[in-house]
Amino acid sequence: MAETADTAETQQVDGKQAARAERRAARLAKQIGAFAKAHGGAEGQLAYLGQTGTRIVLVGEDGGWGDLVAPSYAVAESAARKSGITLHDEFDGEFAAKVHTGPYEWSRMAGIQVGGPSNRA
């Protein structure tokens, strides 16, 4: 009898976790869709971050870019699938060449280097 109760409780917890993951994927898909709409379409790439989750790197057709972080690879993959964007296996080649960086990004990258410009206002 106790074994049956443990199984039912485990299934209930698994069901709640699945529902939470589904809601997170739906929210991320909505954000991806908004990004795609604002940038004339979008493509993406998933980058596993370890326990932190998975980064969804987005590149718009206009060269704009951004990212979102999902709690797991499965949630990130589900969100990308729901949003309808094309996913790339790697961030290289023609996909990476679509990214347009501006003065802000170059300043930030240079500021990391010793002797680079400061990003303080």
Side-chain angles (χ1 to χ4, degrees):
M1 225 13 157
E3 191 173 305
T4 304
D6 288 342
T7 303
E9 188 175 310
T10 300
Q11 288 174 346
Q12 185 179 15
V13 169
D14 289 344
K16 286 181 181 181
Q17 288 174 339
R20 181 177 294 130
E22 187 64 29
R23 287 191 304 272
R24 287 179 177 169
R27 272 195 309 270
L28 286 167
K30 190 174 180 179
Q31 291 174 308
I32 293 168
F35 178 90
K37 184 177 179 182
H39 295 277
E43 299 175 53
Q45 190 261 337
L46 304 182
Y48 179 68
L49 299 173
Q51 288 183 330
T52 305
T54 298
R55 174 172 281 133
I56 305 167
V57 180
L58 301 169
V59 179
E61 289 301 315
D62 64 357
W65 60 278
D67 67 346
L68 299 165
V69 176
S72 70
Y73 193 89
V75 170
E77 194 171 43
S78 176
R81 189 177 59 252
K82 287 175 187 294
S83 71
I85 64 168
T86 299
L87 282 179
H88 295 268
D89 292 331
E90 295 187 21
F91 195 83
D92 61 0
E94 289 182 29
F95 180 53
K98 289 183 177 186
V99 175
H100 292 264
T101 55
Y104 173 77
E105 289 86 6
W106 284 104
S107 172
R108 294 281 298 166
M109 288 185 275
I112 293 170
Q113 304 300 318
V114 175
S118 172
N119 288 312
R120 295 190 184 118

